Amino acid sequence: QQQVKQSPQSLIVQKGGISIINCAYENTAFDYFPWYQQFPGKGPALLIAIRPDVSEKKEGRFTISFNKSAKQFSLHIMDSQPGDSATYFCAASTQAGTALIFGKGTTLSVSS
Amino acid sequence: NAGVTQTPKFQVLKTGQSMTLQCAQDMNHNSMYWYRQDPGMGLRLIYYSASEGTTDKGEVPNGYNVSRLNKREFSLRLESAAPSQTSVYFCASSATAGTAYGYTFGSGTRLTVV
């Protein structure tokens, strides 16, 4: 059972454009929603995270939008740059001391 | 540099061989995790240890065993490797299991079973 569904699987965006990656979850007990960024040959690294008590969180060019009623959250990358080309994973977890559940990932390619 | 160290970085095994993947963290984190990454499948949890002395199964535990040796070290053992276990394995740690704590990942072990 896939608890966190991520789309699209791959994304090509022109330099300066907006990249949007979406995730949907099923477990209403989830209360922590991070995004991780992974470059080839490296481990994932935390990019930005949100709790369900806010609808949006922004850090530089990266924004998470959260819709609790729809059980969806998304990552927006403004002014996308070639250096943003990477694989992005959404994830979710609960307070119950369990581990993060990851989506299947989105490979982003920003063309110059 | 502080972080999560995984050894080895690369390994080729024959079907039926056994091996142990090592992971150590130096951030005084309580919780540690093992994930596998396969193309199109994302990161799938194999086992995790919320605290020293405890381990729990994740989504794909079959064919694996783990040992939380101490607070720093968490090893993953393949008793009889199968081609289906060809994957990239990542170890991660966090201050504690549960919400609002970011994971620090190691650089991975690329395992091929032939």
Side-chain angles (χ1 to χ4, degrees):
Chain A
Q1 181 184 5
Q2 185 184 358
Q3 296 195 54
V4 180
K5 295 184 178 180
Q6 184 172 347
S7 63
Q9 185 174 359
S10 61
L11 183 61
I12 300 174
V13 174
Q14 287 197 332
K15 180 181 177 181
I18 302 173
S19 303
I20 302 174
I21 304 170
N22 300 299
C23 283
Y25 63 96
E26 300 164 1
N27 187 349
T28 56
F30 287 150
D31 63 355
Y32 173 62
F33 303 90
W35 285 87
Y36 280 76
Q37 180 187 54
Q38 183 184 31
F39 293 105
K42 304 292 186 182
L46 179 64
L47 184 63
I48 187 173
I50 198 168
R51 300 290 296 272
D53 52 348
V54 297
S55 60
E56 185 175 284
K57 182 175 181 180
K58 183 176 181 180
E59 291 185 1
R61 294 184 295 108
F62 300 90
T63 299
I64 299 179
S65 297
F66 185 80
N67 186 329
K68 188 174 182 178
S69 61
K71 293 187 287 185
Q72 295 176 344
F73 59 109
S74 60
L75 176 69
H76 291 65
I77 306 174
M78 311 300 289
D79 187 26
S80 298
Q81 299 297 312
D84 297 330
S85 298
T87 299
Y88 293 82
F89 294 97
C90 62
S93 68
T94 72
Q95 286 187 356
T98 58
L100 283 172
I101 304 298
F102 285 86
K104 292 188 175 183
T106 296
T107 301
L108 171 65
S109 178
V110 181
S111 61
S112 55
Chain B
N1 291 336
V4 177
T5 302
Q6 292 185 236
T7 56
K9 294 188 183 301
F10 301 93
Q11 184 71 49
V12 178
L13 287 180
K14 294 182 178 180
T15 298
Q17 287 185 321
S18 63
M19 79 162 294
T20 299
L21 281 65
Q22 306 287 352
C23 175
Q25 52 90 10
D26 59 5
M27 297 168 287
N28 200 36
H29 282 170
N30 289 304
S31 303
M32 298 184 74
Y33 315 84
W34 278 105
Y35 288 86
R36 60 177 289 175
Q37 183 175 15
D38 303 289
M41 299 298 292
L43 292 157
R44 292 183 292 170
L45 181 68
I46 305 171
Y47 273 93
Y48 69 102
S49 172
S51 60
E52 187 178 356
T54 69
T55 60
D56 286 285
K57 294 179 180 180
E59 180 186 357
V60 288
N62 291 343
Y64 306 95
N65 287 301
V66 290
S67 296
R68 184 74 184 267
L69 304 171
N70 48 55
K71 189 172 185 178
R72 290 186 63 247
E73 298 173 286
F74 189 37
S75 63
L76 178 71
R77 182 162 179 83
L78 287 70
E79 291 291 350
S80 178
S84 61
Q85 295 178 304
T86 293
S87 186
V88 181
Y89 291 85
F90 286 100
C91 177
S93 70
S94 67
T96 186
T99 59
Y101 292 98
Y103 286 16
T104 300
F105 281 84
S107 58
T109 294
R110 186 174 295 274
L111 175 67
T112 302
V113 182
V114 297

